[in-house]
Amino acid sequence: VSELSDASRRQIDQVAIQGFANYFGQQRFGSRQDNLQQALRQLTTRKLSRSRRGLLISSLRSHLFNAILARRLELGHWSEPLDGDVFMLRGSHSIFSEAVNADLLRRYRELDISSCASLYGSGAVRMSSTPLAIEQKVFDENRLITECLQQQRSRLQMRPLRAVADSFDYVYDAADEVLDIDMCLPTGSYATSLLNHFAILRDASSR
């Protein structure tokens, strides 16, 4: 890293303050980034191994989740909770629904809880209002994917829209032009998603 600007330092510090967007990383979509196309083609026409089928279903649900997260970021509905949200307790998979109030807002800002989005599937929907409308619009725009997941009898799950890195710290060595980042990530989150908040990443394996 040839230079670490003040703007970059503020972006890095912001990750520590409010967490990072919990996108599924590119590796979830295959080395050629074609898992979606393979899933739509193979899941309905071939008999697949259990692991292969699970991988392709996961790619479809991950794509929908990323689209929901991107939409909420575009609308400015990521760093604050919304009425109608489903929340997940940090460090667990426990979820609950509650109207936004002063205590919930405090817990959200202290990173104790985060809003969730759906990993598409059948099941009881606890989300409502604006969050539900955002998700439904994304699902409507991706009918081929949702219809495929319905055929595969995918079950609804929830995933937090943001993740929090524990023990997050960084040191910049200007002489050697090295940015050393230490972090401990929750299961299922991606270091590349955290780095995307302040760095432009290029995959050397694709060259």
Side-chain angles (χ1 to χ4, degrees):
V1 179
S2 59
E3 179 186 5
L4 192 65
S5 67
D6 289 341
S8 291
R9 291 180 186 273
R10 287 193 295 270
Q11 289 174 330
I12 296 173
D13 292 339
Q14 197 65 24
V15 170
I17 294 170
Q18 69 176 32
F20 62 97
N22 197 23
Y23 282 108
F24 286 100
Q26 288 187 347
Q27 51 269 58
R28 177 57 66 97
F29 305 103
S31 59
R32 297 181 180 179
Q33 298 296 290
D34 62 349
N35 276 10
L36 293 183
Q37 293 79 7
Q38 291 190 44
L40 293 173
R41 183 173 65 251
Q42 295 180 18
L43 284 170
T44 56
T45 61
R46 298 185 187 179
K47 185 175 182 180
L48 303 172
S49 67
R50 183 175 180 180
S51 60
R52 177 64 176 170
R53 178 176 174 272
L55 173 67
L56 295 179
I57 289 175
S58 179
S59 295
L60 294 178
R61 299 210 300 169
S62 299
H63 173 79
L64 293 176
F65 177 90
N66 281 1
I68 294 167
L69 176 50
R71 188 66 52 82
R72 287 191 58 144
L73 278 163
E74 291 169 6
L75 296 172
H77 298 327
W78 173 73
S79 59
E80 296 289 336
L82 290 176
D83 277 322
D85 264 334
V86 171
F87 302 98
M88 183 174 289
L89 185 65
R90 181 177 174 184
S92 80
H93 289 96
S94 298
I95 61 173
F96 66 95
S97 302
E98 185 177 318
V100 176
N101 52 44
D103 182 60
L104 186 137
L105 192 57
R106 174 189 60 79
R107 294 178 65 191
Y108 196 96
R109 291 172 175 170
E110 291 176 355
L111 307 180
D112 181 43
I113 58 175
S114 292
S115 300
C116 294
S118 299
L119 292 171
Y120 187 88
S122 61
V125 177
R126 300 175 63 174
M127 196 176 295
S128 62
S129 192
T130 300
L132 181 61
I134 293 171
E135 291 207 349
Q136 192 56 57
K137 184 169 177 57
V138 170
F139 296 153
D140 290 342
E141 293 169 353
N142 291 272
R143 286 287 178 86
L144 286 178
I145 292 178
T146 58
E147 289 172 2
C148 182
L149 289 171
Q150 289 168 13
Q151 292 173 6
Q152 300 302 313
R153 299 181 180 178
S154 177
R155 297 291 297 172
L156 175 66
Q157 293 176 293
M158 304 302 293
R159 173 181 170 89
L161 288 163
R162 68 176 180 178
V164 179
D166 290 319
S167 305
F168 181 72
D169 195 16
Y170 70 95
V171 176
Y172 178 59
D173 186 333
D176 290 337
E177 298 186 343
V178 171
L179 177 62
D180 185 1
I181 301 172
D182 290 317
M183 55 185 158
C184 182
L185 299 182
T187 301
S189 62
Y190 291 76
T192 48
S193 297
L194 182 151
L195 294 173
N196 275 327
H197 275 264
F198 51 83
I200 298 172
L201 306 180
R202 295 182 179 88
D203 184 356
S205 68
S206 64
R207 293 176 182 173

